[in-house]
Amino acid sequence: MSIDLSTSKRDAILRLLSVGERGDGRSALDARPVHLTRLSSGAVEARLGETIVVATVAVAVVEPKKARPAEGSLLFRVEVGVPSGSKLSGKLARDKAAELGALLEFSIRGSRALDTESLCIQTGKLSWEVSIEVSVIACEGNLVDTACLAALAALARASRPRATASHGKPCFDFAKSQNFALNHLPLPISFAVFGEPLPETMVLRDPNSEEELAAGGRLSLFVNRFGDLCGVQKAGKAGIPPELFFR
């Protein structure tokens, strides 16, 4: 995971962009192949190029929040590893983890991808708390899409035992597992945004780590299989002309 980029490398990336090329041979809107591997029930490894993320789903029975007595909850925990010899400090890793955690909450919980009402066991008494632990193993660009895909795949493939309540206590039937009720899957599509000194704003889909460092910003769209736009998130200083969304 790089944290800086030399001026010569940045200039080389911009020169290629000015003639419509990228260093790895892809076109502006080409993405690298995604590989999802199920490690166990509720655990998935996502690979996008050399970026690797593992997401694991865990459940616990808790008392629901008073403001939402008939719903369960969805939590995210993110850990960004710091390889030996890396220039990435512990603070930068923690900041990256916090940023990624907020984006996962925005895209998955914010779009109500998971039906939290289906997590209720007994109103006001018992509900499921679903935790998705996301571990960044390697990052060579587009961590946002890789982490989101890992979390969504893990959630889609996880299950929990059938639960009922008796006298205020949960009763589990481990012989009858249930998948989580998903309303939709907000799939991520991220772009690096380049402004000046290029003559016009350009975007590159699925940027690698050097393209991200050379860019002036990031744009992430979240779209479900019905073509509905579930969310938009922008980072960085680069402006995005409205007409860019209609290209």
Side-chain angles (χ1 to χ4, degrees):
M1 180 186 292
S2 301
I3 58 173
D4 53 17
L5 188 69
S6 68
T7 301
S8 60
K9 284 187 176 181
R10 183 176 185 275
D11 290 344
I13 290 171
L14 294 177
R15 280 196 300 271
L16 285 173
L17 287 181
S18 67
V19 293
E21 297 180 3
R22 298 173 74 170
D24 57 11
R26 288 184 289 156
S27 70
L29 299 182
D30 277 347
R32 294 167 293 179
V34 177
H35 299 282
L36 299 174
T37 304
R38 184 176 185 177
L39 305 178
S40 63
S41 177
V44 171
E45 178 190 86
R47 288 176 177 256
L48 185 57
E50 297 301 316
T51 299
I52 306 172
V53 175
V54 172
T56 306
V57 175
V59 295
V61 174
V62 299
E63 182 179 338
K65 296 179 180 179
K66 292 182 179 181
R68 298 182 181 274
E71 294 185 29
S73 55
L74 175 62
L75 306 175
F76 295 92
R77 297 184 177 91
V78 180
E79 179 180 353
V80 177
V82 182
S84 177
S86 171
K87 295 180 181 179
L88 185 70
S89 70
K91 181 179 184 304
L92 284 174
R94 289 192 297 272
D95 290 346
K96 192 69 175 178
E99 177 188 358
L100 187 57
L103 194 142
L104 288 168
E105 290 191 5
F106 166 78
S107 62
I108 299 176
R109 189 169 66 183
S111 68
R112 299 192 67 83
L114 175 64
D115 180 6
T116 51
E117 291 184 2
S118 69
L119 302 177
C120 178
I121 300 173
Q122 183 178 13
T123 301
K125 299 287 186 179
L126 301 168
S127 68
W128 288 106
E129 178 184 82
V130 181
S131 299
I132 303 181
E133 298 187 3
V134 175
S135 298
V136 178
I137 309 301
C139 181
E140 292 301 328
N142 203 0
L143 183 57
V144 170
D145 287 11
T146 315
C148 286
L149 290 171
L152 288 170
L155 189 58
R157 298 178 183 184
S159 62
R160 67 188 189 277
R162 189 182 297 273
T164 57
S166 177
H167 305 292
K169 294 184 179 180
C171 300
F172 303 109
D173 185 349
F174 290 94
K176 296 180 179 179
S177 62
Q178 293 178 304
N179 291 331
F180 293 102
L182 300 177
N183 295 318
H184 63 107
L185 294 175
L187 300 176
I189 308 173
S190 292
F191 304 86
V193 183
F194 293 82
E196 295 181 354
L198 296 177
E200 63 177 5
T201 301
M202 292 185 64
V203 296
L204 296 182
R205 184 180 176 184
D206 179 28
N208 60 36
S209 57
E210 290 188 347
E211 289 170 339
E212 284 182 331
L213 291 170
R218 173 183 52 79
L219 174 67
S220 294
L221 309 178
F222 301 91
V223 183
N224 63 25
R225 67 186 181 92
F226 305 108
D228 301 323
L229 184 62
C230 305
V232 178
Q233 204 266 356
K234 178 185 174 298
K237 298 180 180 180
I240 302 175
E243 61 269 16
L244 198 63
F245 286 95
F246 301 99
R247 289 183 183 176

